[in-house]
């Protein structure tokens, strides 16, 4: 039991490390080579995990080999357009100047139902509203509407708007985030005064507290009865 437990933990940590090295992507955004590696790693890890008679190295060595191969191919794809096109392919323009490219649709094996569904998901109902649509290498459809159909922006009305920034999380689940406090240019005395206005006498009573560059403060206390 102990041996099986330890083998599982080792392989679990190794698979996490492998996926982390592949970058921060959602499953639907994986490139073909990355998806193949992810499937193979999970399969290789499951065999020695379920059968302790199989040497652990039979799972570790192939996984490490796949990790190294993926890192090397990723590096080569950054340096070489030929390698990048070979591994990930090229984006396909399925609508060009408002006209559906039927040849490109057939080449990409992308039917009209798929196209209309993706357009609806992006809040476009009529094909006549679309100037260009690009099928990206990860399967995502990028839509460029015609100029008179695009959403209005503040710059269209010559309105200047302040640049939005991420708010600083000062307290998270009762813990003071000192690095964020420093970035916001505040100190602990300021924090205590602010939470006191919201009925908290201790930082541990605060579930979350944020402040943005416009000095807008948000404070939410922990639920009543919850231990600080």
């Amino acid at each position: 039991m102990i041996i099986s437990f330890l083998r599982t933990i080792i392989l679990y940590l190794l698979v996490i490390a492998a996926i982390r090295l592949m970058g921060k992507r959602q499953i639907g955004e994986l490139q073909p080579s990355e998806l193949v590696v992810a499937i193979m790693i999970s399969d290789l890890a499951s065999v020695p995990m379920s059968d302790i008679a199989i040497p652990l190295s039979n799972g570790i060595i192939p996984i490490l080999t796949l990790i190294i191969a993926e890192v090397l191919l990723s590096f080569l794809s950054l340096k070489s357009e030929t390698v990048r096109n070979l591994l990930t392919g090229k984006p396909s323009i399925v609508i060009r100047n408002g006209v559906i490219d039927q040849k490109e649709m057939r080449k990409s094996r992308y039917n009209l139902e798929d196209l209309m569904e993706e357009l609806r998901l992006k809040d476009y109902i009529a094909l006549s509203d679309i100037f260009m649509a690009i099928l990206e290498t990860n399967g995502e459809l990028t839509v460029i509407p015609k100029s008179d159909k695009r959403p209005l922006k503040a710059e269209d009305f010559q309105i200047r708007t302040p640049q939005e920034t991420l708010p600083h999380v000062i307290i998270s689940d009762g813990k003071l985030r000192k690095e964020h406090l420093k970035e916001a240019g505040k100190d602990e005395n300021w924090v205590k005064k602010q939470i006191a206005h919201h009925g908290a006498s201790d930082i541990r009573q605060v579930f979350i507290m944020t402040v943005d560059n416009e000095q807008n403060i948000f404070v939410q206390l922990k639920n009543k009865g919850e231990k600080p």
Side-chain angles (χ1 to χ4, degrees):
M1 289 290 291
I2 296 177
I3 293 175
S4 179
F5 173 77
L6 292 175
R7 288 163 63 95
T8 301
I9 294 299
I10 291 172
L11 289 168
Y12 171 70
L13 294 174
L14 185 59
V15 171
I16 289 178
I19 299 300
R20 287 283 290 152
L21 284 172
M22 289 171 61
K24 296 181 179 180
R25 294 177 184 264
Q26 297 180 7
I27 295 299
E29 297 176 347
L30 292 177
Q31 298 293 349
S33 62
E34 296 171 334
L35 181 59
V36 169
V37 170
I39 294 172
M40 291 182 69
I41 286 176
S42 63
D43 188 50
L44 287 169
S46 64
V47 176
M49 192 182 297
S50 59
D51 189 354
I52 61 174
I54 299 176
L56 192 59
S57 59
N58 285 14
I60 293 178
I61 293 176
I63 290 175
L64 290 176
T65 302
L66 285 174
I67 294 174
I68 294 171
E70 173 61 24
V71 171
L72 288 175
L73 287 174
S74 297
F75 177 76
L76 289 174
S77 67
L78 290 174
K79 300 295 183 181
S80 170
E81 184 178 353
T82 302
V83 175
R84 183 165 58 254
N85 292 337
L86 181 64
L87 292 176
T88 64
K90 295 181 179 180
S92 301
I93 301 177
V94 294
I95 299 179
R96 189 191 302 268
N97 298 331
V99 179
I100 298 176
D101 191 328
Q102 299 177 45
K103 182 179 179 181
E104 196 65 36
M105 291 273 288
R106 287 193 295 269
K107 181 181 177 182
S108 302
R109 294 184 295 280
Y110 202 67
N111 59 50
L112 284 173
E113 286 74 17
D114 292 333
L115 177 62
M116 296 302 295
E117 180 181 352
E118 288 297 324
L119 291 177
R120 289 194 298 271
L121 288 173
K122 296 183 182 297
D123 297 326
Y124 294 104
I125 305 300
L127 281 168
S128 57
D129 294 344
I130 310 303
F131 176 73
M132 186 173 289
I134 305 167
L135 183 61
E136 306 292 355
T137 56
N138 61 5
E140 183 76 16
L141 187 71
T142 299
V143 179
I144 303 174
K146 292 180 179 178
S147 58
D148 59 339
K149 298 296 181 180
R150 66 180 178 83
L152 292 174
K153 300 178 182 179
E155 61 184 348
D156 295 326
F157 300 97
Q158 297 183 346
I159 299 174
R160 288 190 175 185
T161 57
Q163 178 61 51
E164 293 182 341
T165 58
L166 290 174
H168 301 282
V169 180
I170 305 301
I171 300 175
S172 175
D173 198 11
K175 295 181 180 178
L176 183 65
R177 305 289 295 274
K178 292 185 177 180
E179 68 279 9
H180 292 181
L181 184 64
K182 184 178 180 181
E183 290 174 1
K186 308 296 182 181
D187 56 26
E188 292 189 32
N189 289 329
W190 175 85
V191 173
K192 292 177 181 178
K193 290 179 181 178
Q194 297 302 322
I195 64 174
H197 290 315
H198 290 80
S201 58
D202 193 289
I203 290 175
R204 292 176 297 175
Q205 297 174 341
V206 180
F207 181 65
I208 187 170
M209 175 184 177
T210 65
V211 61
D212 60 21
N213 287 350
E214 299 296 321
Q215 302 305 307
N216 297 313
I217 300 169
F218 176 82
V219 176
Q220 181 177 324
L221 304 183
K222 290 186 177 181
N223 294 330
K224 291 183 179 180
E226 185 174 334
K227 294 182 179 180

